[in-house]
Amino acid sequence: MKNIIFFGDSLTAGHGLRASESFPALLQQRLDEQHLPYKAYNYGVSGETSAGGRQRLASVLARHPVDVFVLALGANDGIRGIPVRETTQNLQFIIDAVRRQYPEAQLVLAGLEFPFDLGPLGGHRLAHYATEFKALFRTLAEKNSLPFVPFLLQGVLGRRELNLPDGVHPNPAGQKILAENVWQVLGPLLRQPVL
């Protein structure tokens, strides 16, 4: 069996849901149905920032050999307004560390967009931040030649029926869409013949 590490925050953890309803668990079901020899590990921690991920990375990498590493951090950086440069540096550190320890591993980066429409707030500075924040993920993916999920919350963000009452965290139906968003990029990688 090969190992897929899902490294993220509450979106990955499946905040407020049963473990079986998180998108990594849903992807495990799909892997099993398609008889693909992968085990999905959910290392999502609610409230995690990119700096927190950087701190706990070594302990996660020490637990299992890594064949695929799906990096889905940054949402909490955005909510807290952490400077984009800092988030970028932390994510680059994580990418470099995984590559150093597991040079054969396939990395996948999940992108995020700032979760609020900031225009009505008149927040010119905030709108500028939102644009920079969204761009940092694609820039990192291109710089590191990573397969890229453009927007993890595509089709879920802002849709009340797909989120918990807090309006921020996907409900079970929303997690199914997250699983699909990730699978569109991850699935073809896993089905490639091993050289």
PDB file of all heavy atoms in Angstrom, residues 42-76:
ATOM      1  N   ASN A  42      -5.624  11.372   7.238  1.00  0.00           N
ATOM      2  CA  ASN A  42      -6.136  12.728   7.415  1.00  0.00           C
ATOM      3  C   ASN A  42      -5.359  13.426   8.536  1.00  0.00           C
ATOM      4  O   ASN A  42      -5.555  13.134   9.719  1.00  0.00           O
ATOM      5  CB  ASN A  42      -7.629  12.684   7.748  1.00  0.00           C
ATOM      6  CG  ASN A  42      -8.257  14.063   7.781  1.00  0.00           C
ATOM      7  OD1 ASN A  42      -7.579  15.067   7.942  1.00  0.00           O
ATOM      8  ND2 ASN A  42      -9.561  14.113   7.625  1.00  0.00           N
ATOM      9  N   TYR A  43      -4.481  14.337   8.137  1.00  0.00           N
ATOM     10  CA  TYR A  43      -3.758  15.171   9.099  1.00  0.00           C
ATOM     11  C   TYR A  43      -4.262  16.609   9.004  1.00  0.00           C
ATOM     12  O   TYR A  43      -3.493  17.547   8.856  1.00  0.00           O
ATOM     13  CB  TYR A  43      -2.244  15.080   8.877  1.00  0.00           C
ATOM     14  CG  TYR A  43      -1.671  13.779   9.388  1.00  0.00           C
ATOM     15  CD1 TYR A  43      -1.345  12.752   8.521  1.00  0.00           C
ATOM     16  CD2 TYR A  43      -1.493  13.581  10.758  1.00  0.00           C
ATOM     17  CE1 TYR A  43      -0.843  11.546   8.996  1.00  0.00           C
ATOM     18  CE2 TYR A  43      -0.995  12.375  11.242  1.00  0.00           C
ATOM     19  CZ  TYR A  43      -0.670  11.369  10.355  1.00  0.00           C
ATOM     20  OH  TYR A  43      -0.181  10.174  10.835  1.00  0.00           O
ATOM     21  N   GLY A  44      -5.570  16.744   9.078  1.00  0.00           N
ATOM     22  CA  GLY A  44      -6.178  18.066   9.167  1.00  0.00           C
ATOM     23  C   GLY A  44      -6.358  18.438  10.629  1.00  0.00           C
ATOM     24  O   GLY A  44      -6.799  17.618  11.435  1.00  0.00           O
ATOM     25  N   VAL A  45      -5.981  19.666  10.984  1.00  0.00           N
ATOM     26  CA  VAL A  45      -6.122  20.162  12.359  1.00  0.00           C
ATOM     27  C   VAL A  45      -6.896  21.476  12.311  1.00  0.00           C
ATOM     28  O   VAL A  45      -6.463  22.437  11.665  1.00  0.00           O
ATOM     29  CB  VAL A  45      -4.733  20.393  13.011  1.00  0.00           C
ATOM     30  CG1 VAL A  45      -4.879  21.076  14.362  1.00  0.00           C
ATOM     31  CG2 VAL A  45      -3.983  19.068  13.155  1.00  0.00           C
ATOM     32  N   SER A  46      -8.034  21.497  12.977  1.00  0.00           N
ATOM     33  CA  SER A  46      -8.863  22.708  12.970  1.00  0.00           C
ATOM     34  C   SER A  46      -8.084  23.893  13.543  1.00  0.00           C
ATOM     35  O   SER A  46      -7.381  23.755  14.544  1.00  0.00           O
ATOM     36  CB  SER A  46     -10.141  22.490  13.772  1.00  0.00           C
ATOM     37  OG  SER A  46     -10.973  21.578  13.080  1.00  0.00           O
ATOM     38  N   GLY A  47      -8.207  25.031  12.862  1.00  0.00           N
ATOM     39  CA  GLY A  47      -7.561  26.265  13.316  1.00  0.00           C
ATOM     40  C   GLY A  47      -6.117  26.396  12.886  1.00  0.00           C
ATOM     41  O   GLY A  47      -5.474  27.405  13.170  1.00  0.00           O
ATOM     42  N   GLU A  48      -5.599  25.397  12.190  1.00  0.00           N
ATOM     43  CA  GLU A  48      -4.178  25.382  11.821  1.00  0.00           C
ATOM     44  C   GLU A  48      -3.851  26.486  10.813  1.00  0.00           C
ATOM     45  O   GLU A  48      -4.563  26.669   9.835  1.00  0.00           O
ATOM     46  CB  GLU A  48      -3.830  24.033  11.193  1.00  0.00           C
ATOM     47  CG  GLU A  48      -2.377  23.872  10.858  1.00  0.00           C
ATOM     48  CD  GLU A  48      -1.573  23.302  12.002  1.00  0.00           C
ATOM     49  OE1 GLU A  48      -1.325  24.041  12.973  1.00  0.00           O
ATOM     50  OE2 GLU A  48      -1.212  22.126  11.921  1.00  0.00           O
ATOM     51  N   THR A  49      -2.759  27.186  11.070  1.00  0.00           N
ATOM     52  CA  THR A  49      -2.214  28.146  10.101  1.00  0.00           C
ATOM     53  C   THR A  49      -1.050  27.487   9.373  1.00  0.00           C
ATOM     54  O   THR A  49      -0.601  26.398   9.756  1.00  0.00           O
ATOM     55  CB  THR A  49      -1.693  29.405  10.817  1.00  0.00           C
ATOM     56  OG1 THR A  49      -0.667  29.002  11.725  1.00  0.00           O
ATOM     57  CG2 THR A  49      -2.804  30.141  11.550  1.00  0.00           C
ATOM     58  N   SER A  50      -0.518  28.166   8.371  1.00  0.00           N
ATOM     59  CA  SER A  50       0.647  27.620   7.668  1.00  0.00           C
ATOM     60  C   SER A  50       1.838  27.524   8.623  1.00  0.00           C
ATOM     61  O   SER A  50       2.637  26.583   8.544  1.00  0.00           O
ATOM     62  CB  SER A  50       0.990  28.478   6.444  1.00  0.00           C
ATOM     63  OG  SER A  50       1.347  29.793   6.830  1.00  0.00           O
ATOM     64  N   ALA A  51       1.945  28.469   9.566  1.00  0.00           N
ATOM     65  CA  ALA A  51       3.036  28.415  10.553  1.00  0.00           C
ATOM     66  C   ALA A  51       2.873  27.205  11.464  1.00  0.00           C
ATOM     67  O   ALA A  51       3.846  26.510  11.779  1.00  0.00           O
ATOM     68  CB  ALA A  51       3.067  29.702  11.384  1.00  0.00           C
ATOM     69  N   GLY A  52       1.647  26.911  11.870  1.00  0.00           N
ATOM     70  CA  GLY A  52       1.382  25.729  12.700  1.00  0.00           C
ATOM     71  C   GLY A  52       1.715  24.451  11.941  1.00  0.00           C
ATOM     72  O   GLY A  52       2.283  23.508  12.502  1.00  0.00           O
ATOM     73  N   GLY A  53       1.362  24.418  10.662  1.00  0.00           N
ATOM     74  CA  GLY A  53       1.676  23.260   9.835  1.00  0.00           C
ATOM     75  C   GLY A  53       3.173  23.053   9.720  1.00  0.00           C
ATOM     76  O   GLY A  53       3.668  21.926   9.791  1.00  0.00           O
ATOM     77  N   ARG A  54       3.865  24.145   9.566  1.00  0.00           N
ATOM     78  CA  ARG A  54       5.325  24.084   9.467  1.00  0.00           C
ATOM     79  C   ARG A  54       5.910  23.473  10.746  1.00  0.00           C
ATOM     80  O   ARG A  54       6.842  22.669  10.700  1.00  0.00           O
ATOM     81  CB  ARG A  54       5.850  25.502   9.235  1.00  0.00           C
ATOM     82  CG  ARG A  54       7.342  25.624   9.138  1.00  0.00           C
ATOM     83  CD  ARG A  54       7.737  27.055   8.792  1.00  0.00           C
ATOM     84  NE  ARG A  54       9.189  27.193   8.788  1.00  0.00           N
ATOM     85  CZ  ARG A  54       9.848  28.174   8.190  1.00  0.00           C
ATOM     86  NH1 ARG A  54       9.174  29.125   7.557  1.00  0.00           N
ATOM     87  NH2 ARG A  54      11.146  28.221   8.223  1.00  0.00           N
ATOM     88  N   GLN A  55       5.324  23.841  11.900  1.00  0.00           N
ATOM     89  CA  GLN A  55       5.806  23.339  13.196  1.00  0.00           C
ATOM     90  C   GLN A  55       5.576  21.836  13.350  1.00  0.00           C
ATOM     91  O   GLN A  55       6.402  21.142  13.928  1.00  0.00           O
ATOM     92  CB  GLN A  55       5.100  24.074  14.351  1.00  0.00           C
ATOM     93  CG  GLN A  55       5.424  25.535  14.456  1.00  0.00           C
ATOM     94  CD  GLN A  55       6.884  25.796  14.748  1.00  0.00           C
ATOM     95  OE1 GLN A  55       7.485  25.129  15.562  1.00  0.00           O
ATOM     96  NE2 GLN A  55       7.469  26.752  14.042  1.00  0.00           N
ATOM     97  N   ARG A  56       4.430  21.337  12.871  1.00  0.00           N
ATOM     98  CA  ARG A  56       4.111  19.929  13.133  1.00  0.00           C
ATOM     99  C   ARG A  56       4.499  19.001  11.983  1.00  0.00           C
ATOM    100  O   ARG A  56       4.322  17.783  12.068  1.00  0.00           O
ATOM    101  CB  ARG A  56       2.629  19.769  13.477  1.00  0.00           C
ATOM    102  CG  ARG A  56       1.679  19.903  12.320  1.00  0.00           C
ATOM    103  CD  ARG A  56       0.227  19.712  12.762  1.00  0.00           C
ATOM    104  NE  ARG A  56      -0.672  20.147  11.709  1.00  0.00           N
ATOM    105  CZ  ARG A  56      -1.386  19.310  10.957  1.00  0.00           C
ATOM    106  NH1 ARG A  56      -1.313  18.014  11.131  1.00  0.00           N
ATOM    107  NH2 ARG A  56      -2.179  19.786  10.014  1.00  0.00           N
ATOM    108  N   LEU A  57       5.044  19.555  10.927  1.00  0.00           N
ATOM    109  CA  LEU A  57       5.340  18.745   9.737  1.00  0.00           C
ATOM    110  C   LEU A  57       6.271  17.580  10.040  1.00  0.00           C
ATOM    111  O   LEU A  57       6.014  16.444   9.632  1.00  0.00           O
ATOM    112  CB  LEU A  57       5.945  19.627   8.640  1.00  0.00           C
ATOM    113  CG  LEU A  57       6.320  18.880   7.364  1.00  0.00           C
ATOM    114  CD1 LEU A  57       5.069  18.367   6.665  1.00  0.00           C
ATOM    115  CD2 LEU A  57       7.116  19.784   6.423  1.00  0.00           C
ATOM    116  N   ALA A  58       7.355  17.829  10.756  1.00  0.00           N
ATOM    117  CA  ALA A  58       8.367  16.787  10.990  1.00  0.00           C
ATOM    118  C   ALA A  58       7.749  15.569  11.676  1.00  0.00           C
ATOM    119  O   ALA A  58       8.047  14.427  11.317  1.00  0.00           O
ATOM    120  CB  ALA A  58       9.520  17.342  11.822  1.00  0.00           C
ATOM    121  N   SER A  59       6.856  15.800  12.638  1.00  0.00           N
ATOM    122  CA  SER A  59       6.259  14.666  13.357  1.00  0.00           C
ATOM    123  C   SER A  59       5.357  13.854  12.424  1.00  0.00           C
ATOM    124  O   SER A  59       5.281  12.632  12.544  1.00  0.00           O
ATOM    125  CB  SER A  59       5.479  15.143  14.586  1.00  0.00           C
ATOM    126  OG  SER A  59       4.316  15.841  14.200  1.00  0.00           O
ATOM    127  N   VAL A  60       4.666  14.522  11.488  1.00  0.00           N
ATOM    128  CA  VAL A  60       3.813  13.797  10.528  1.00  0.00           C
ATOM    129  C   VAL A  60       4.678  13.004   9.552  1.00  0.00           C
ATOM    130  O   VAL A  60       4.404  11.827   9.275  1.00  0.00           O
ATOM    131  CB  VAL A  60       2.881  14.782   9.779  1.00  0.00           C
ATOM    132  CG1 VAL A  60       2.161  14.086   8.632  1.00  0.00           C
ATOM    133  CG2 VAL A  60       1.878  15.395  10.752  1.00  0.00           C
ATOM    134  N   LEU A  61       5.737  13.621   9.045  1.00  0.00           N
ATOM    135  CA  LEU A  61       6.598  12.938   8.074  1.00  0.00           C
ATOM    136  C   LEU A  61       7.304  11.733   8.701  1.00  0.00           C
ATOM    137  O   LEU A  61       7.680  10.795   7.995  1.00  0.00           O
ATOM    138  CB  LEU A  61       7.637  13.906   7.497  1.00  0.00           C
ATOM    139  CG  LEU A  61       7.102  15.046   6.638  1.00  0.00           C
ATOM    140  CD1 LEU A  61       8.250  15.880   6.103  1.00  0.00           C
ATOM    141  CD2 LEU A  61       6.238  14.527   5.494  1.00  0.00           C
ATOM    142  N   ALA A  62       7.460  11.758  10.016  1.00  0.00           N
ATOM    143  CA  ALA A  62       8.141  10.645  10.696  1.00  0.00           C
ATOM    144  C   ALA A  62       7.218   9.432  10.889  1.00  0.00           C
ATOM    145  O   ALA A  62       7.689   8.340  11.185  1.00  0.00           O
ATOM    146  CB  ALA A  62       8.658  11.123  12.051  1.00  0.00           C
ATOM    147  N   ARG A  63       5.916   9.619  10.705  1.00  0.00           N
ATOM    148  CA  ARG A  63       4.977   8.535  11.029  1.00  0.00           C
ATOM    149  C   ARG A  63       4.823   7.503   9.931  1.00  0.00           C
ATOM    150  O   ARG A  63       4.614   6.331  10.212  1.00  0.00           O
ATOM    151  CB  ARG A  63       3.598   9.121  11.345  1.00  0.00           C
ATOM    152  CG  ARG A  63       3.602   9.817  12.672  1.00  0.00           C
ATOM    153  CD  ARG A  63       2.236  10.306  13.056  1.00  0.00           C
ATOM    154  NE  ARG A  63       2.385  11.313  14.101  1.00  0.00           N
ATOM    155  CZ  ARG A  63       1.415  12.101  14.515  1.00  0.00           C
ATOM    156  NH1 ARG A  63       0.234  12.009  13.973  1.00  0.00           N
ATOM    157  NH2 ARG A  63       1.631  12.975  15.458  1.00  0.00           N
ATOM    158  N   HIS A  64       4.840   7.931   8.676  1.00  0.00           N
ATOM    159  CA  HIS A  64       4.622   7.002   7.558  1.00  0.00           C
ATOM    160  C   HIS A  64       5.528   7.404   6.412  1.00  0.00           C
ATOM    161  O   HIS A  64       5.773   8.595   6.221  1.00  0.00           O
ATOM    162  CB  HIS A  64       3.190   7.087   6.998  1.00  0.00           C
ATOM    163  CG  HIS A  64       2.123   7.309   8.008  1.00  0.00           C
ATOM    164  ND1 HIS A  64       1.532   6.288   8.701  1.00  0.00           N
ATOM    165  CD2 HIS A  64       1.523   8.444   8.442  1.00  0.00           C
ATOM    166  CE1 HIS A  64       0.624   6.784   9.521  1.00  0.00           C
ATOM    167  NE2 HIS A  64       0.600   8.087   9.389  1.00  0.00           N
ATOM    168  N   PRO A  65       5.954   6.442   5.593  1.00  0.00           N
ATOM    169  CA  PRO A  65       6.551   6.833   4.319  1.00  0.00           C
ATOM    170  C   PRO A  65       5.498   7.607   3.519  1.00  0.00           C
ATOM    171  O   PRO A  65       4.306   7.299   3.606  1.00  0.00           O
ATOM    172  CB  PRO A  65       6.871   5.495   3.644  1.00  0.00           C
ATOM    173  CG  PRO A  65       6.791   4.472   4.725  1.00  0.00           C
ATOM    174  CD  PRO A  65       5.857   5.002   5.767  1.00  0.00           C
ATOM    175  N   VAL A  66       5.925   8.606   2.778  1.00  0.00           N
ATOM    176  CA  VAL A  66       4.975   9.446   2.035  1.00  0.00           C
ATOM    177  C   VAL A  66       5.123   9.175   0.538  1.00  0.00           C
ATOM    178  O   VAL A  66       6.209   9.326  -0.014  1.00  0.00           O
ATOM    179  CB  VAL A  66       5.242  10.945   2.320  1.00  0.00           C
ATOM    180  CG1 VAL A  66       4.303  11.819   1.500  1.00  0.00           C
ATOM    181  CG2 VAL A  66       5.086  11.240   3.811  1.00  0.00           C
ATOM    182  N   ASP A  67       4.033   8.768  -0.084  1.00  0.00           N
ATOM    183  CA  ASP A  67       4.016   8.582  -1.541  1.00  0.00           C
ATOM    184  C   ASP A  67       3.332   9.760  -2.231  1.00  0.00           C
ATOM    185  O   ASP A  67       3.729  10.178  -3.304  1.00  0.00           O
ATOM    186  CB  ASP A  67       3.317   7.269  -1.899  1.00  0.00           C
ATOM    187  CG  ASP A  67       4.057   6.079  -1.303  1.00  0.00           C
ATOM    188  OD1 ASP A  67       5.163   5.780  -1.787  1.00  0.00           O
ATOM    189  OD2 ASP A  67       3.546   5.477  -0.335  1.00  0.00           O
ATOM    190  N   VAL A  68       2.273  10.273  -1.591  1.00  0.00           N
ATOM    191  CA  VAL A  68       1.559  11.448  -2.106  1.00  0.00           C
ATOM    192  C   VAL A  68       1.285  12.359  -0.914  1.00  0.00           C
ATOM    193  O   VAL A  68       0.882  11.887   0.155  1.00  0.00           O
ATOM    194  CB  VAL A  68       0.234  11.048  -2.789  1.00  0.00           C
ATOM    195  CG1 VAL A  68      -0.484  12.282  -3.339  1.00  0.00           C
ATOM    196  CG2 VAL A  68       0.464  10.020  -3.889  1.00  0.00           C
ATOM    197  N   PHE A  69       1.514  13.659  -1.120  1.00  0.00           N
ATOM    198  CA  PHE A  69       1.322  14.636  -0.044  1.00  0.00           C
ATOM    199  C   PHE A  69       0.432  15.746  -0.592  1.00  0.00           C
ATOM    200  O   PHE A  69       0.813  16.451  -1.520  1.00  0.00           O
ATOM    201  CB  PHE A  69       2.683  15.198   0.381  1.00  0.00           C
ATOM    202  CG  PHE A  69       2.643  16.041   1.632  1.00  0.00           C
ATOM    203  CD1 PHE A  69       2.858  15.474   2.886  1.00  0.00           C
ATOM    204  CD2 PHE A  69       2.412  17.408   1.563  1.00  0.00           C
ATOM    205  CE1 PHE A  69       2.847  16.256   4.039  1.00  0.00           C
ATOM    206  CE2 PHE A  69       2.390  18.198   2.703  1.00  0.00           C
ATOM    207  CZ  PHE A  69       2.606  17.607   3.952  1.00  0.00           C
ATOM    208  N   VAL A  70      -0.771  15.864  -0.036  1.00  0.00           N
ATOM    209  CA  VAL A  70      -1.721  16.888  -0.476  1.00  0.00           C
ATOM    210  C   VAL A  70      -1.698  18.016   0.552  1.00  0.00           C
ATOM    211  O   VAL A  70      -2.104  17.834   1.704  1.00  0.00           O
ATOM    212  CB  VAL A  70      -3.140  16.309  -0.631  1.00  0.00           C
ATOM    213  CG1 VAL A  70      -4.116  17.393  -1.089  1.00  0.00           C
ATOM    214  CG2 VAL A  70      -3.139  15.132  -1.619  1.00  0.00           C
ATOM    215  N   LEU A  71      -1.213  19.175   0.123  1.00  0.00           N
ATOM    216  CA  LEU A  71      -1.053  20.325   1.008  1.00  0.00           C
ATOM    217  C   LEU A  71      -2.244  21.262   0.834  1.00  0.00           C
ATOM    218  O   LEU A  71      -2.478  21.797  -0.246  1.00  0.00           O
ATOM    219  CB  LEU A  71       0.263  21.042   0.658  1.00  0.00           C
ATOM    220  CG  LEU A  71       0.606  22.305   1.436  1.00  0.00           C
ATOM    221  CD1 LEU A  71       0.596  22.076   2.938  1.00  0.00           C
ATOM    222  CD2 LEU A  71       1.964  22.839   0.988  1.00  0.00           C
ATOM    223  N   ALA A  72      -3.006  21.410   1.927  1.00  0.00           N
ATOM    224  CA  ALA A  72      -4.227  22.226   1.875  1.00  0.00           C
ATOM    225  C   ALA A  72      -4.285  23.148   3.089  1.00  0.00           C
ATOM    226  O   ALA A  72      -5.179  23.055   3.918  1.00  0.00           O
ATOM    227  CB  ALA A  72      -5.464  21.312   1.825  1.00  0.00           C
ATOM    228  N   LEU A  73      -3.292  24.018   3.203  1.00  0.00           N
ATOM    229  CA  LEU A  73      -3.238  24.963   4.318  1.00  0.00           C
ATOM    230  C   LEU A  73      -3.305  26.398   3.799  1.00  0.00           C
ATOM    231  O   LEU A  73      -2.950  26.663   2.659  1.00  0.00           O
ATOM    232  CB  LEU A  73      -1.920  24.803   5.083  1.00  0.00           C
ATOM    233  CG  LEU A  73      -1.870  23.735   6.180  1.00  0.00           C
ATOM    234  CD1 LEU A  73      -0.464  23.645   6.745  1.00  0.00           C
ATOM    235  CD2 LEU A  73      -2.867  24.034   7.291  1.00  0.00           C
ATOM    236  N   GLY A  74      -3.727  27.301   4.679  1.00  0.00           N
ATOM    237  CA  GLY A  74      -3.723  28.723   4.322  1.00  0.00           C
ATOM    238  C   GLY A  74      -5.014  29.447   4.628  1.00  0.00           C
ATOM    239  O   GLY A  74      -5.026  30.662   4.760  1.00  0.00           O
ATOM    240  N   ALA A  75      -6.116  28.706   4.770  1.00  0.00           N
ATOM    241  CA  ALA A  75      -7.408  29.377   5.009  1.00  0.00           C
ATOM    242  C   ALA A  75      -7.364  30.232   6.269  1.00  0.00           C
ATOM    243  O   ALA A  75      -7.837  31.376   6.277  1.00  0.00           O
ATOM    244  CB  ALA A  75      -8.530  28.339   5.108  1.00  0.00           C
ATOM    245  N   ASN A  76      -6.786  29.692   7.332  1.00  0.00           N
ATOM    246  CA  ASN A  76      -6.752  30.453   8.588  1.00  0.00           C
ATOM    247  C   ASN A  76      -5.783  31.629   8.519  1.00  0.00           C
ATOM    248  O   ASN A  76      -5.979  32.644   9.190  1.00  0.00           O
ATOM    249  CB  ASN A  76      -6.418  29.526   9.763  1.00  0.00           C
ATOM    250  CG  ASN A  76      -7.560  28.564  10.042  1.00  0.00           C
ATOM    251  OD1 ASN A  76      -8.694  28.975  10.244  1.00  0.00           O
ATOM    252  ND2 ASN A  76      -7.268  27.274  10.000  1.00  0.00           N
TER     253      ASN A  76
END
